Amino acid sequence: MPATTDHPVAVRATGFIGESRWRRRPASRVRYDALWADGRVEFDVSLTAAMYRGWPADFQPIEESVHANCPEVGTGRWVNGFAAVVDGPEVENPNPPGPRSGWPGRSGVAQREPSPRVRLAWRLTRGVVALGGGILLLTGPAADGVLGFVGVIFALGGAATLAGAVPRRFRWW
């Protein structure tokens, strides 16, 4: 009598380069395939729904093994419920992945580091907004209560952020 389960016997990951959700930058993405006991392969499944049995300690080795056996781009090897690599069919997904399909990958594509000018612009923006909001809360009609204390915290944080934006060669402290 064949073993019938309500969970797949093995899963694998397929890695590809997609784009991030909001910033539209290259990002490592993965899609999961499930192998059932009868030999059929189901594509684009959730790894958690396919292999999670209710115990996080049992699921973590499976998840780590699936990601460890998956290349950055390409199809990985089959991993069973005991986190061991097993043989399985070499069936490819007939549905090519879209740019934002799949789940975020583990390895990560080398992200482009923002330029120093962009970092400075963000720091100045955050500092000015925090300082201005703090001053607004301190001088407003509810400055005697909790909002006055929140205004002090915002103003001090904004001033510290702006002080950190000053280049080292111009600092006197």
Side-chain angles (χ1 to χ4, degrees):
M1 180 171 184
T4 59
T5 63
D6 53 342
H7 294 289
V9 294
V11 291
R12 71 177 177 186
T14 301
F16 61 97
I17 304 298
E19 63 183 25
S20 64
R21 188 177 303 244
W22 291 287
R23 300 178 95 184
R24 304 289 189 254
R25 291 186 176 170
S28 177
R29 312 285 289 173
V30 293
R31 293 170 83 178
Y32 302 104
D33 305 330
L35 175 64
W36 294 85
D38 60 1
R40 68 184 161 92
V41 176
E42 187 176 346
F43 299 103
D44 299 330
V45 299
S46 167
L47 180 63
T48 307
M51 298 303 280
Y52 188 69
R53 308 288 198 275
W55 300 98
D58 293 341
F59 179 68
Q60 184 179 4
I62 297 169
E63 182 182 28
E64 289 174 358
S65 182
V66 167
H67 289 129
N69 288 297
C70 177
E72 181 100 16
V73 175
T75 303
R77 300 178 65 194
W78 291 103
V79 175
N80 67 5
F82 300 106
V85 176
V86 296
D87 292 330
E90 296 297 324
V91 181
E92 292 296 322
N93 191 344
N95 237 352
R100 283 181 276 158
S101 65
W103 287 271
R106 294 285 180 189
S107 58
V109 177
Q111 294 286 329
R112 186 174 50 117
E113 188 68 27
S115 71
R117 291 180 131 184
V118 171
R119 284 195 307 262
L120 179 64
W122 276 105
R123 177 172 266 190
L124 290 174
T125 303
R126 284 192 306 256
V128 167
V129 167
L131 184 62
I135 291 173
L136 184 67
L137 289 175
L138 279 172
T139 59
D144 294 338
V146 175
L147 288 179
F149 177 70
V150 172
V152 168
I153 300 297
F154 269 53
L156 288 175
T161 303
L162 289 174
V166 175
R168 290 184 191 269
R169 64 177 179 230
F170 297 122
R171 291 184 190 171
W172 56 270
W173 62 91

